[in-house]
Amino acid sequence: MTIEYLKRSKSEATRKEDDSRTRAVVEATLADIEARGDDAVRALSEKFDNYSPDSFRLSETDIEHLLSRLSARELADIRFAQDQVTTFARAQRASMTDIEVETLPGVILGHKNIPVQSVGCYVPGGKFPMVASAHMSVATAAVAGVPRIVACTPPFHGEPNPAVIAAMHLGGAHEINVLGGIQAIGAMAIGTASMAPVHMLVGPGNAFVAEAKRQLFGRVGIDLFAGPTETMVIADDTVDAELCATDLLGQAEHGYNSPAVLLTNSRALATGTLAEIDRLLTILPTADTARKSWQDFGEVILCDTYDEMLAVADDIASEHVQVMTDRDDWFLDNMTCYGALFLGPRTNVANGDKVIGTNHTLPTRKAGRYTGGLWVGKFLKTHSYQRITTDAAAARIAAYGSRLCLLEGFVGHAEQCNIRMRRHGGENVPYGAAVPHREAAE
């Protein structure tokens, strides 16, 4: 296997140093929110967003006023995108069915899919107003039937962003708060006098938001670790350098620490893409952010074969993977570790981010090795139940249960089975003893 890096990102050691500093800041901030509640939240909002309204929660009047500032075209575009997301989410929900089966005569087993009862949806918006993130979290939670949906987004240029608030409201949020960063995540999870805590946190965010979710996991559920945006372009000589460079920078502009990787078996495409990136950075309005991201976190990896490209891609497990080759379906069939795939040159990650309908909250930092992205199923808990309807079934299961409990040394467990055998099987099992095996009965 011959793999050549024409450009490398920051070292893993440097990234770990950054993570360590972030972890310490988040830990101290969450402790402050735990101790001081609303006072800490307000102080943090003043410090980081210069924003301190009478109430962070918007009233119905506030929401109506903000929606009135949008044009009919803007509202129609928001509704169109939201419709695509909810249409796909409803199809996914329909694939999840409750079941009940009689596994033995008189033994009924089943499961039910029950919505999480309260969810906190974080919608980033301090640098760019992430309208689409509201569809992905709020609207998807609504499709799942979550009865309490709390939404938080930071102020944009010192005030609520009308488009983000519209997407939250139209998506079905019950409580909308103009609150960002660690303070929003902490308030939703820990709770304050003005905000009841939720059972689950969802949504993407910067490194501090992602770390806050990580530290709060266990106290509340989370969707996944959705940190800074990652993108990978897998391409061969069926596409050109301008297309690859455009798709890499399109995601690098998210933030200063957004990894962007070109994985190719064409040296000409690799070197051409490097040159095109340099050219595009001279005309891209968001070049200050994209340039820093590409400088520190961009990579160009040259492989000899498609099998090598597949192995490298699965090892990196990038959040967004755009595949533009002469064998896109081969990658679909064989890739196992990623957030979402974007197949062929006609589609792109921006489609998935904004409008096409699949969810854009996806696993980052190799989490695609063990989880997929946010979807309607993340808002549902699958709970099992059991029922025994006959004395014969109760006795049959009790006999096996009694012996298996004692095999492990659990006498109290065994007695739960034994008392059923005495009452429903008519056998006076000595206390703490195993139900004897009888071939005909079992």
Side-chain angles (χ1 to χ4, degrees):
M1 179 178 286
T2 304
I3 298 172
E4 181 182 350
Y5 283 77
L6 274 64
K7 182 185 182 307
R8 280 189 180 271
S9 68
K10 269 187 177 182
S11 70
E12 192 61 32
T14 302
R15 294 191 193 197
K16 286 181 179 178
E17 289 177 12
D18 294 342
D19 291 345
S20 179
R21 287 191 289 268
T22 300
R23 190 176 305 119
V25 170
V26 170
E27 185 174 8
T29 304
L30 292 177
D32 189 29
I33 294 170
E34 180 93 60
R36 298 196 299 126
D38 283 326
D39 289 342
V41 168
R42 183 167 294 278
L44 289 162
S45 182
E46 290 173 346
K47 177 180 178 180
F48 292 109
D49 292 322
N50 194 28
Y51 186 72
S52 184
D54 292 338
S55 173
F56 291 106
R57 181 172 174 178
L58 297 178
S59 67
E60 286 298 319
T61 302
D62 294 332
I63 294 168
E64 290 172 9
H65 172 69
L66 288 163
L67 264 65
S68 73
R69 292 169 54 184
L70 296 172
S71 69
R73 180 70 267 157
E74 288 168 332
L75 284 168
D77 287 347
I78 290 169
R79 287 191 173 98
F80 177 84
Q82 203 160 88
D83 285 346
Q84 309 320 301
V85 173
T86 55
T87 294
F88 189 56
R90 283 193 293 270
Q92 290 180 306
R93 179 64 184 90
S95 75
M96 302 179 66
T97 58
D98 296 351
I99 64 169
E100 186 171 279
V101 59
E102 190 170 16
T103 57
L104 293 169
V107 177
I108 310 298
L109 306 181
H111 78 222
K112 294 179 62 179
N113 295 299
I114 300 172
V116 174
Q117 293 299 286
S118 58
V119 169
C121 300
Y122 186 73
V123 178
K127 189 175 181 64
F128 298 103
M130 299 288 286
V131 178
S133 288
H135 314 325
M136 308 302 172
S137 56
V138 174
T140 306
V143 170
V146 176
R148 178 178 173 238
I149 303 171
V150 181
C152 283
T153 189
F156 182 69
H157 295 162
E159 63 176 2
N161 180 270
V164 174
I165 301 305
M168 289 174 162
H169 176 68
L170 296 172
H174 304 106
E175 303 168 26
I176 298 177
N177 302 274
V178 184
L179 189 63
I182 306 170
Q183 57 270 29
I185 298 298
M188 288 191 288
I190 296 168
T192 70
S194 64
M195 188 185 300
V198 298
H199 294 175
M200 183 180 182
L201 293 170
V202 302
N206 63 20
F208 293 95
V209 167
E211 175 61 19
K213 287 170 64 180
R214 190 192 70 80
Q215 292 189 21
L216 289 163
F217 177 57
R219 182 171 190 152
V220 295
I222 64 170
D223 49 356
L224 64 156
F225 299 121
T229 292
E230 303 167 349
T231 198
M232 171 183 284
V233 173
I234 299 176
D236 59 18
D237 57 12
T238 61
V239 292
D240 60 84
E242 181 186 28
L243 190 62
C244 293
T246 298
D247 289 338
L248 290 166
L249 291 180
Q251 294 301 302
E253 74 175 357
H254 259 286
Y256 67 91
N257 56 353
S258 298
V261 178
L262 172 64
L263 182 59
T264 184
N265 57 1
S266 168
R267 182 175 294 275
L269 182 64
T271 56
T273 299
L274 285 167
E276 272 297 303
I277 286 174
D278 288 342
R279 182 184 71 83
L280 290 174
L281 284 172
T282 67
I283 59 175
L284 182 66
T286 54
D288 286 350
T289 301
R291 181 181 292 106
K292 178 64 175 172
S293 184
W294 177 248
Q295 175 185 311
D296 289 346
F297 293 92
E299 292 191 329
V300 176
I301 306 171
L302 182 62
C303 298
D304 281 342
T305 68
Y306 289 98
D307 285 329
E308 288 178 357
M309 291 163 70
L310 175 67
V312 172
D314 271 340
D315 179 62
I316 293 174
S318 184
E319 177 190 15
H320 305 103
V321 180
Q322 186 154 349
V323 182
M324 299 184 290
T325 68
D326 65 5
R327 60 198 70 192
D328 299 343
D329 285 343
W330 180 82
F331 281 97
L332 174 62
D333 291 341
N334 289 283
M335 279 195 71
T336 59
C337 301
Y338 55 90
L341 291 181
F342 304 81
L343 300 168
R346 291 182 179 85
T347 192
N348 61 82
V349 176
N351 283 351
D353 278 349
K354 310 304 178 188
V355 68
I356 206 166
T358 53
N359 205 292
H360 80 191
T361 303
L362 300 167
T364 63
R365 306 187 67 144
K366 292 184 178 286
R369 294 174 300 173
Y370 58 82
T371 186
L374 182 61
W375 69 296
V376 71
K378 290 276 189 179
F379 296 102
L380 296 162
K381 307 171 294 167
T382 302
H383 294 278
S384 62
Y385 62 89
Q386 58 177 267
R387 180 187 300 116
I388 294 179
T389 60
T390 67
D391 287 347
R396 184 179 183 185
I397 295 295
Y400 281 99
S402 171
R403 294 193 296 272
L404 289 167
C405 290
L406 288 172
L407 183 64
E408 296 179 357
F410 285 110
V411 178
H413 284 61
E415 273 304 304
Q416 290 181 269
C417 302
N418 290 347
I419 194 171
R420 269 77 184 178
M421 176 58 82
R422 297 181 195 115
R423 295 187 180 190
H424 300 288
E427 185 166 341
N428 190 21
V429 184
Y431 189 90
V435 175
H437 172 66
R438 290 182 175 78
E439 192 68 42
E442 300 176 23

